[in-house]
Each structure stands twice: as C-alpha cells, then as structure tokens.
Amino acid sequence: MSVRPLKIRPAIIGNWKMNGSGKEIKLVSRFADFVNKHKIAADVMICPPATLIDRAGLAVKGSKLRIGAQNCHNEPSGAHTGDISATMLKDAGARAVIVGHSERRTGYDETDKQVRQKAQAVIDQGLQAIICLGETRQQFNKGQTLQVVGRQLRGSLPSSATPQNTLIAYEPVWAIGSGRTPKPDDIIKVHTHLRKTLLKLHPKAGAKFKILYGGSVSAANASTILALENVNGALVGGASLSFKDFTAILRSV
Ligand code: PEP
C-alpha cells in the first residue's frame, strides 16, 4: 500500500488548556493581526477555554485565525450539569473541537467509544473534530506505540470522518508538557502507521487527512518536526500562550 505523502496544507493549532482569562483576548487579537499580516502557509487556530470562545470569536472576526474548543459532550443538550455540547460551542463561535486529549482520556477515563461519539457530535454540527491519540511512557518503553495508536485511531474515528471534517493529532502522553519529544524517526514511524491505518479505513480519502504532531512543540524544534514525512502540522500547548513562541512556530511552517 502506498503511503507516499500528498502535499497537504498544514494546520497549527494552539491548545490553551485551562489557562487564560479576559485579559488574554488581547493575545488572541495579536495572533489574528500576525496571521493577517504574514503569509502563513498553514491553517491557524487557537482553542481557548470555553469561557473565552465567544470573546475570542469576536476578536478574530474578519481574520484568518479561527477559534476552536477543547472538549464537548456527545449529546446536543440535556441533563448534563456542567457539560457543554458541540451545538453550544458552535453557537459561541467555535469552528472545531479537540476530542480525546490525553488529559481527558486519563483524567476522566474517556474511552475510544466516547471519543468517537464526541467526534460524531462535532461533525454533526458542521465543525471539525481534532481527535487526539498517543501512547504513555510505559507503552512507549514496552514498544507498544504503533499497536496503541492504531487501536485508538480505529476506535475513535467515526465512520463519517472525512479529511475536511476531521484532523488527527498524535500526542505521545510522555511528551506533553515535558519538554521532551520523540526522535524524528520515531515520529515518522508513528505518522506513517497512522497514514496506513487511515488508508485502510478510507481507501480513497485516507491520504488527505491531516495528521498533526503534538507534545512539547517549541520555537526551537518546530521546523524540524513540521518538515517530517506525514506530519501535517502541530497541536501546540504551552508555547501557544506566548506571542513570541507561537508566532515563531508559525514562521517555521
Ligand atoms: C497539548 O497538551 O496538546 C500539548 C501539545 O501540550 P504541550 O505543547 O505543552 O506539550
């Protein structure tokens, strides 16, 4: 089976996690100005906490920078105290939703099935699902990475997924927030395996899905990581909270 990479427009997505308050809307506006002024050869998005989506959406109006969310419930509405649906996120101005981040899979025991249901709910709203997967340090040490991410991808990807409505983000759990990244060859191996799995699941469209890398992407390592085969962008945590670091990553596409 051919896994020769197609030329795919990359995506750089910032995940602010549980960080940021009203005063950080200024940072969103600065990112929007930067994206408008520079010819960034990538789709750029910031996923702030849910409390800021509305204000961030207004701050980027008319710009190429888009706003996304970090999680959602799989139902459109109902008796789910404290939860937020994809319908509500869309209404607030989100254009995409991260689902299955390892901090949700680990902290809230989210299963592949739940991630798939959430991704489906996102797609049903006409938004993009950003499906995260990745192995733990223990699984990496045992040589189980390909098996784990292959299983997560098959279990988390809804059958309605297309390259337009779904992005995949490979995020080794041990690389997130640690300042450590896999060796370039290891990233290539995983992304090629994910590409092959996508081609098996979607023989026609599998070659076109964006597969992002996430986990300690920084201004220093972005150009190396983004140039790797089958890496179609990055999901950026900590560095997306800094104007200097995130714009340096955008410049390195
Ligand atoms: C993330 O949590 O999605 C992430 C990539 O974090 P960091 O870049 O801080 O490792």
Short mmCIF file of all heavy atoms in Angstrom, two decimals, residues 13-17 98 101-103 132 169-173 175-180 213-218 234-240, ligand 1:
data_model
loop_
_atom_site.label_atom_id
_atom_site.label_comp_id
_atom_site.label_asym_id
_atom_site.label_seq_id
_atom_site.Cartn_x
_atom_site.Cartn_y
_atom_site.Cartn_z
N ILE A 13 -2.36 24.44 15.55
CA ILE A 13 -3.48 24.66 16.47
C ILE A 13 -2.95 24.84 17.89
O ILE A 13 -2.19 24.00 18.38
CB ILE A 13 -4.46 23.47 16.40
CG1 ILE A 13 -5.00 23.36 14.96
CG2 ILE A 13 -5.61 23.64 17.40
CD1 ILE A 13 -5.88 22.17 14.71
N GLY A 14 -3.34 25.94 18.52
CA GLY A 14 -2.92 26.19 19.89
C GLY A 14 -3.98 25.71 20.87
O GLY A 14 -5.16 26.02 20.71
N ASN A 15 -3.55 24.95 21.86
CA ASN A 15 -4.45 24.44 22.90
C ASN A 15 -4.08 25.14 24.21
O ASN A 15 -3.04 24.84 24.79
CB ASN A 15 -4.27 22.92 23.02
CG ASN A 15 -5.02 22.34 24.21
OD1 ASN A 15 -5.90 22.99 24.78
ND2 ASN A 15 -4.66 21.12 24.59
N TRP A 16 -4.94 26.05 24.65
CA TRP A 16 -4.63 26.83 25.86
C TRP A 16 -4.94 26.07 27.14
O TRP A 16 -4.64 26.54 28.22
CB TRP A 16 -5.42 28.15 25.83
CG TRP A 16 -4.80 29.20 24.96
CD1 TRP A 16 -3.79 29.03 24.04
CD2 TRP A 16 -5.11 30.60 24.95
NE1 TRP A 16 -3.47 30.22 23.46
CE2 TRP A 16 -4.27 31.22 23.99
CE3 TRP A 16 -6.03 31.39 25.64
CZ2 TRP A 16 -4.32 32.58 23.72
CZ3 TRP A 16 -6.08 32.75 25.36
CH2 TRP A 16 -5.23 33.34 24.42
N LYS A 17 -5.58 24.91 27.01
CA LYS A 17 -5.96 24.12 28.20
C LYS A 17 -6.72 25.02 29.18
O LYS A 17 -7.43 25.93 28.76
CB LYS A 17 -4.73 23.50 28.84
CG LYS A 17 -3.85 22.76 27.83
CD LYS A 17 -2.80 21.95 28.48
CE LYS A 17 -1.86 21.40 27.42
NZ LYS A 17 -1.16 20.22 27.84
N ILE A 98 -11.42 19.95 19.96
CA ILE A 98 -10.46 18.88 20.29
C ILE A 98 -11.23 17.81 21.05
O ILE A 98 -11.97 18.12 21.99
CB ILE A 98 -9.32 19.44 21.18
CG1 ILE A 98 -8.52 20.52 20.44
CG2 ILE A 98 -8.41 18.32 21.66
CD1 ILE A 98 -7.52 21.27 21.33
N HIS A 101 -8.29 14.34 24.05
CA HIS A 101 -6.97 14.74 24.53
C HIS A 101 -6.58 13.81 25.69
O HIS A 101 -7.43 13.39 26.46
CB HIS A 101 -7.01 16.20 25.01
CG HIS A 101 -5.65 16.76 25.28
ND1 HIS A 101 -4.95 16.45 26.42
CD2 HIS A 101 -4.85 17.57 24.54
CE1 HIS A 101 -3.77 17.07 26.37
NE2 HIS A 101 -3.69 17.75 25.23
N SER A 102 -5.30 13.52 25.81
CA SER A 102 -4.88 12.54 26.84
C SER A 102 -5.24 13.02 28.24
O SER A 102 -5.45 12.20 29.14
CB SER A 102 -3.39 12.26 26.74
OG SER A 102 -2.66 13.40 27.09
N GLU A 103 -5.33 14.36 28.43
CA GLU A 103 -5.70 14.85 29.76
C GLU A 103 -7.17 14.54 30.06
O GLU A 103 -7.57 14.51 31.22
CB GLU A 103 -5.40 16.36 29.86
CG GLU A 103 -3.90 16.59 29.99
CD GLU A 103 -3.40 17.91 29.45
OE1 GLU A 103 -4.21 18.83 29.25
OE2 GLU A 103 -2.18 18.01 29.20
N CYS A 132 -7.40 13.36 19.28
CA CYS A 132 -6.05 13.14 19.83
C CYS A 132 -5.85 11.68 20.21
O CYS A 132 -6.77 11.01 20.70
CB CYS A 132 -5.84 13.97 21.08
SG CYS A 132 -6.00 15.73 20.80
N ALA A 169 -4.49 14.10 15.74
CA ALA A 169 -3.30 14.66 16.41
C ALA A 169 -2.62 13.54 17.20
O ALA A 169 -3.21 12.99 18.14
CB ALA A 169 -3.69 15.80 17.32
N TYR A 170 -1.39 13.22 16.79
CA TYR A 170 -0.60 12.24 17.54
C TYR A 170 0.14 12.98 18.65
O TYR A 170 0.98 13.83 18.38
CB TYR A 170 0.39 11.52 16.63
CG TYR A 170 1.45 10.75 17.41
CD1 TYR A 170 1.08 9.81 18.37
CD2 TYR A 170 2.81 10.98 17.21
CE1 TYR A 170 2.03 9.12 19.11
CE2 TYR A 170 3.77 10.30 17.93
CZ TYR A 170 3.37 9.37 18.89
OH TYR A 170 4.32 8.70 19.63
N GLU A 171 -0.20 12.65 19.89
CA GLU A 171 0.42 13.32 21.03
C GLU A 171 0.89 12.27 22.04
O GLU A 171 0.09 11.78 22.85
CB GLU A 171 -0.59 14.24 21.73
CG GLU A 171 -1.14 15.35 20.88
CD GLU A 171 -1.58 16.53 21.72
OE1 GLU A 171 -2.46 16.36 22.56
OE2 GLU A 171 -1.01 17.60 21.54
N PRO A 172 2.19 11.92 22.00
CA PRO A 172 2.68 10.98 23.00
C PRO A 172 2.45 11.57 24.39
O PRO A 172 2.84 12.72 24.63
CB PRO A 172 4.18 10.88 22.70
CG PRO A 172 4.42 11.58 21.41
CD PRO A 172 3.24 12.47 21.14
N VAL A 173 1.81 10.83 25.27
CA VAL A 173 1.44 11.37 26.59
C VAL A 173 2.68 11.87 27.33
O VAL A 173 2.67 12.91 27.98
CB VAL A 173 0.69 10.30 27.42
CG1 VAL A 173 0.31 10.84 28.79
CG2 VAL A 173 -0.55 9.81 26.68
N ALA A 175 5.30 13.14 26.15
CA ALA A 175 5.93 14.33 25.55
C ALA A 175 5.17 15.61 25.92
O ALA A 175 5.73 16.71 25.85
CB ALA A 175 5.98 14.19 24.03
N ILE A 176 3.91 15.45 26.34
CA ILE A 176 3.09 16.63 26.61
C ILE A 176 3.60 17.38 27.85
O ILE A 176 3.70 16.78 28.93
CB ILE A 176 1.60 16.24 26.78
CG1 ILE A 176 1.06 15.72 25.44
CG2 ILE A 176 0.78 17.41 27.29
CD1 ILE A 176 -0.36 15.21 25.50
N GLY A 177 3.93 18.63 27.66
CA GLY A 177 4.35 19.49 28.78
C GLY A 177 5.66 19.09 29.43
O GLY A 177 6.02 19.63 30.47
N SER A 178 6.39 18.16 28.84
CA SER A 178 7.61 17.65 29.49
C SER A 178 8.89 18.24 28.92
O SER A 178 9.96 18.05 29.48
CB SER A 178 7.66 16.12 29.33
OG SER A 178 7.85 15.81 27.95
N GLY A 179 8.77 18.93 27.78
CA GLY A 179 9.98 19.43 27.12
C GLY A 179 10.71 18.34 26.35
O GLY A 179 11.77 18.57 25.79
N ARG A 180 10.13 17.13 26.33
CA ARG A 180 10.77 16.03 25.60
C ARG A 180 9.93 15.66 24.38
O ARG A 180 8.69 15.71 24.43
CB ARG A 180 10.90 14.80 26.51
CG ARG A 180 11.77 15.10 27.72
CD ARG A 180 11.54 14.12 28.80
NE ARG A 180 12.10 12.83 28.46
CZ ARG A 180 11.92 11.74 29.19
NH1 ARG A 180 11.17 11.78 30.27
NH2 ARG A 180 12.47 10.61 28.84
N TYR A 213 1.33 16.59 14.78
CA TYR A 213 2.11 16.11 15.92
C TYR A 213 1.90 17.08 17.07
O TYR A 213 1.87 18.31 16.86
CB TYR A 213 3.62 16.03 15.59
CG TYR A 213 4.39 15.81 16.87
CD1 TYR A 213 4.46 14.53 17.43
CD2 TYR A 213 4.92 16.88 17.59
CE1 TYR A 213 5.07 14.32 18.66
CE2 TYR A 213 5.54 16.69 18.82
CZ TYR A 213 5.60 15.41 19.34
OH TYR A 213 6.19 15.22 20.58
N GLY A 214 1.78 16.58 18.30
CA GLY A 214 1.68 17.43 19.48
C GLY A 214 2.48 16.85 20.63
O GLY A 214 2.59 15.63 20.78
N GLY A 215 3.03 17.73 21.46
CA GLY A 215 3.83 17.29 22.61
C GLY A 215 5.14 18.05 22.62
O GLY A 215 6.06 17.69 21.89
N SER A 216 5.18 19.15 23.42
CA SER A 216 6.41 19.95 23.58
C SER A 216 6.93 20.53 22.27
O SER A 216 8.15 20.66 22.09
CB SER A 216 7.49 19.14 24.30
OG SER A 216 7.10 18.87 25.62
N VAL A 217 6.01 20.88 21.37
CA VAL A 217 6.45 21.61 20.17
C VAL A 217 6.85 23.02 20.62
O VAL A 217 6.14 23.66 21.39
CB VAL A 217 5.34 21.68 19.10
CG1 VAL A 217 5.75 22.58 17.94
CG2 VAL A 217 5.01 20.29 18.59
N SER A 218 8.01 23.48 20.15
CA SER A 218 8.53 24.78 20.58
C SER A 218 9.10 25.52 19.38
O SER A 218 9.25 24.95 18.29
CB SER A 218 9.64 24.56 21.61
OG SER A 218 10.74 23.91 20.98
N ALA A 234 0.89 20.94 13.65
CA ALA A 234 1.19 20.71 15.06
C ALA A 234 0.05 21.16 15.96
O ALA A 234 -0.65 22.14 15.65
CB ALA A 234 2.46 21.47 15.44
N LEU A 235 -0.12 20.43 17.06
CA LEU A 235 -1.01 20.85 18.14
C LEU A 235 -0.06 21.34 19.25
O LEU A 235 0.80 20.59 19.71
CB LEU A 235 -1.88 19.68 18.61
CG LEU A 235 -2.93 19.95 19.68
CD1 LEU A 235 -3.83 21.12 19.32
CD2 LEU A 235 -3.80 18.70 19.91
N VAL A 236 -0.22 22.60 19.61
CA VAL A 236 0.77 23.26 20.48
C VAL A 236 0.11 23.67 21.79
O VAL A 236 -0.88 24.41 21.78
CB VAL A 236 1.31 24.53 19.76
CG1 VAL A 236 2.39 25.19 20.60
CG2 VAL A 236 1.85 24.18 18.37
N GLY A 237 0.64 23.20 22.90
CA GLY A 237 0.08 23.55 24.20
C GLY A 237 0.75 24.80 24.75
O GLY A 237 0.45 25.92 24.33
N GLY A 238 1.69 24.61 25.67
CA GLY A 238 2.33 25.72 26.39
C GLY A 238 2.79 26.87 25.51
O GLY A 238 2.57 28.05 25.84
N ALA A 239 3.43 26.54 24.38
CA ALA A 239 4.01 27.60 23.54
C ALA A 239 2.93 28.48 22.89
O ALA A 239 3.24 29.58 22.41
CB ALA A 239 4.90 26.98 22.46
N SER A 240 1.68 28.02 22.87
CA SER A 240 0.63 28.83 22.23
C SER A 240 0.14 29.94 23.16
O SER A 240 -0.69 30.75 22.77
CB SER A 240 -0.53 27.95 21.77
OG SER A 240 -1.25 27.43 22.86
C1 PEP B 1 -1.16 19.51 24.38
O1 PEP B 1 -1.47 19.31 25.54
O2 PEP B 1 -2.00 19.41 23.47
C2 PEP B 1 0.24 19.87 24.10
C3 PEP B 1 0.68 19.64 22.92
O3 PEP B 1 0.95 20.41 25.14
P1 PEP B 1 2.47 20.94 25.12
O4 PEP B 1 2.74 21.56 23.78
O5 PEP B 1 2.54 21.94 26.23
O6 PEP B 1 3.33 19.74 25.35
#
